[in-house]
Amino acid sequence: MGMSDSTRRGVAIIGGGPAGLMAAEVLAQRGYAVDVYDAMPSVGRKFLLAGIGGLNLTHSEPYPAFVGRYGDRAEQVEPLLKNFDADALRAWAHGLGVETFVGSSGRVFPREMKAAPLLRAWLSRLREAGARIHVRHRWQGWSADGSLKFDTPDGELAVRADATLLALGGGSWKKLGSDGRWMPWLAEKGVATAPLLPSNCGFDAGWSDFFADKFAGEPLKSVGLAFQGGDGREFKRVGECVITQSGIEGSLVYACSALLRDEIARAGSATCYLDLIPAWDEARVLAEVSHPRGSRSLSSHLQSRLNLKGARAGILRECLDKESFQNPAMLAAAIKRLPVTVTAARPIDEAISTAGGVCFSALDARQMLAALPGVFCAGEMLDWEAPTGGYLLTACFASGRAAGQGIADWLEAAR
């Protein structure tokens, strides 16, 4: 098809992830003609990837704690969650015939532990409601006349819509469609944006070749991680992380990633502290370290008395100098508080998600851009971040729902 003016087509939603599809559902249910455009061969690619290990839809923790997971953006995200919280998300999934359960960590999963059945049921319901989905349609910004430009398998397409929702994701996982290419296009239109930064990411720690080659890929299970930034923010939790060739990653590190990333930006590096035996206090550790070891090596002694072996013993030797290693008091203190200095976050495309994007100050209460009347934003392209554990998905669903309602309200007011 050649470049041509299309007839006005109701609402155009650009991005077929959870935020875009949720907005499409709200609008279709309210009787609007909805067209969803996605650059990929099918919608929900990143959503499906998130479900490979068991789709973590949301979290069951109390609402105040849940809201607190959004850190500096809790105040902006909270109204979205109030409109569509974790319980509402579970009820919505149940309405699609997908039962959920709460895991031992408080995380909420579908019974089948898969994303595909939910997505199939959802797309079926959307199509029944009249929503049209166009794949392999890559948005290329706006034409001079204000129409939306798309590259498609059949050529360039121009679309005019009564309202547009941008739900293009952040900058991570380019191969799944979230590439951040939209940032300069919005900036040119006067939309306030914050630079995209890696979130829920790993960090470089400058390991020795010996340590990296021997322990890369090894988990550190049930360890504590503590950090206090120069800005006063603190983190302390027990969980699991993984040694990588260049540093450290995993759920425990992801939960602290925003603080570590911001401290590196502020100070050039960030030092966090690992507690290798969080179930023991330092007095007990010192007693075991100080116990006579006879002819045994110190490594054998630590394995026998404290069960310190493998990656735990390795990282202790990597991060503690030889003199301290031979001093029982200093060794015991390090086992409980081992300094690990990280110097850089891993690249955005390795991150699970991103911070930055469209500033909330650029939006009105309906999630419409002040600089572009009739253009709305939702999902991860907004400037917020959250740890893994269902918080990312919940806010994407909630912001998509709010944007859909905002679009409908704006269109009705404009009649």
Side-chain angles (χ1 to χ4, degrees):
M1 65 189 76
M3 172 73 86
S4 64
D5 284 338
S6 301
T7 55
R8 292 180 73 81
R9 302 176 69 177
V11 181
I13 295 175
I14 306 176
L21 295 179
M22 183 58 82
E25 180 170 71
V26 169
L27 288 158
Q29 288 173 346
R30 289 178 67 162
Y32 289 93
V34 179
D35 288 271
V36 178
Y37 301 90
D38 198 278
M40 295 289 103
S42 58
V43 296
R45 286 290 181 98
K46 192 173 178 183
F47 181 68
L48 288 173
L49 182 73
I52 285 178
L55 180 66
N56 182 194
L57 264 180
T58 189
H59 203 286
S60 64
E61 72 181 347
Y63 184 73
F66 194 106
V67 172
R69 300 297 185 186
Y70 298 89
D72 293 343
R73 296 292 179 269
E75 183 179 349
Q76 289 82 13
V77 175
E78 198 270 340
L80 308 177
L81 297 175
K82 188 174 285 186
N83 184 47
F84 194 71
D85 63 9
D87 290 339
L89 177 51
R90 293 186 71 183
W92 171 84
H94 297 168
L96 286 169
V98 176
E99 293 299 313
T100 61
F101 73 96
V102 179
S104 58
S105 64
R107 299 182 180 204
V108 176
F109 301 91
R111 286 265 174 224
E112 295 183 37
M113 294 293 286
K114 295 176 182 176
L118 187 152
L119 184 60
R120 278 196 301 269
W122 193 9
L123 293 176
S124 176
R125 190 164 76 182
L126 281 170
R127 290 188 174 104
E128 287 173 9
R132 292 171 292 193
I133 296 174
H134 311 269
V135 296
R136 294 189 172 91
H137 280 57
R138 184 175 293 278
W139 184 52
Q140 299 293 338
W142 291 273
S143 299
D145 65 358
S147 59
L148 300 163
K149 293 191 298 183
F150 294 92
D151 276 347
T152 81
D154 297 316
E156 202 167 59
L157 171 69
V159 172
R160 297 191 66 83
D162 296 303
T164 299
L165 173 65
L166 304 179
L168 291 151
S172 62
W173 297 94
K174 290 180 184 178
K175 64 183 180 182
L176 301 180
S178 298
D179 56 15
R181 292 173 70 245
W182 48 268
M183 286 279 284
W185 300 340
L186 292 187
E188 287 169 9
K189 299 285 187 179
V191 176
T193 60
L196 293 176
L197 300 170
S199 182
N200 290 298
C201 57
F203 291 85
D204 292 336
W207 302 138
S208 66
D209 290 342
F210 173 82
F211 177 76
D213 291 343
K214 186 170 183 179
F215 293 107
E218 291 291 316
L220 294 170
K221 296 185 177 181
S222 296
V223 295
L225 190 151
F227 175 74
Q228 181 169 356
D231 57 7
R233 291 186 294 173
E234 296 182 12
F235 177 91
K236 189 173 184 179
R237 195 175 304 171
V238 174
E240 182 174 332
C241 54
V242 178
I243 304 296
T244 67
Q245 193 72 31
S246 66
I248 193 166
E249 64 179 21
S251 58
L252 186 59
V253 175
Y254 300 157
C256 190
S257 63
L259 276 66
L260 294 173
R261 180 198 66 222
D262 293 350
E263 183 70 5
I264 291 169
R266 190 191 69 81
S269 65
T271 300
C272 57
Y273 296 88
L274 292 180
D275 184 345
L276 299 177
I277 313 179
W280 292 13
D281 61 26
E282 190 171 334
R284 182 179 177 187
V285 172
L286 179 57
E288 296 296 338
V289 168
S290 303
H291 192 276
R293 59 186 173 96
S295 60
R296 283 185 305 186
S297 68
L298 182 53
S299 295
S300 297
H301 181 66
L302 293 178
Q303 179 173 340
S304 172
R305 304 297 304 188
L306 293 91
N307 198 31
L308 267 182
K309 57 185 178 180
R312 281 176 203 259
I315 198 170
L316 183 62
R317 283 198 176 275
E318 177 74 4
C319 297
L320 195 61
D321 61 69
K322 286 186 176 180
E323 181 183 345
S324 300
F325 211 86
Q326 300 299 325
N327 182 309
M330 297 176 80
L331 178 56
I335 290 169
K336 291 296 293 177
R337 190 173 166 82
L338 182 69
V340 176
T341 298
V342 294
T343 55
R346 296 297 298 161
I348 278 183
D349 206 42
E350 293 180 23
I352 291 175
S353 59
T354 49
V358 175
C359 299
F360 280 92
S361 61
L363 304 171
D364 68 10
R366 295 167 297 202
Q367 290 178 227
M368 185 170 73
L369 292 168
L372 294 169
V375 180
F376 298 71
C377 290
E380 201 183 322
M381 67 183 294
L382 301 181
D383 181 19
W384 60 274
E385 62 182 314
T388 57
Y391 308 106
L392 290 164
L393 269 180
T394 303
C396 286
F397 279 112
S399 69
R401 190 173 185 85
Q405 292 166 342
I407 291 168
D409 292 345
W410 181 78
L411 288 172
E412 286 167 15
R415 281 178 179 172

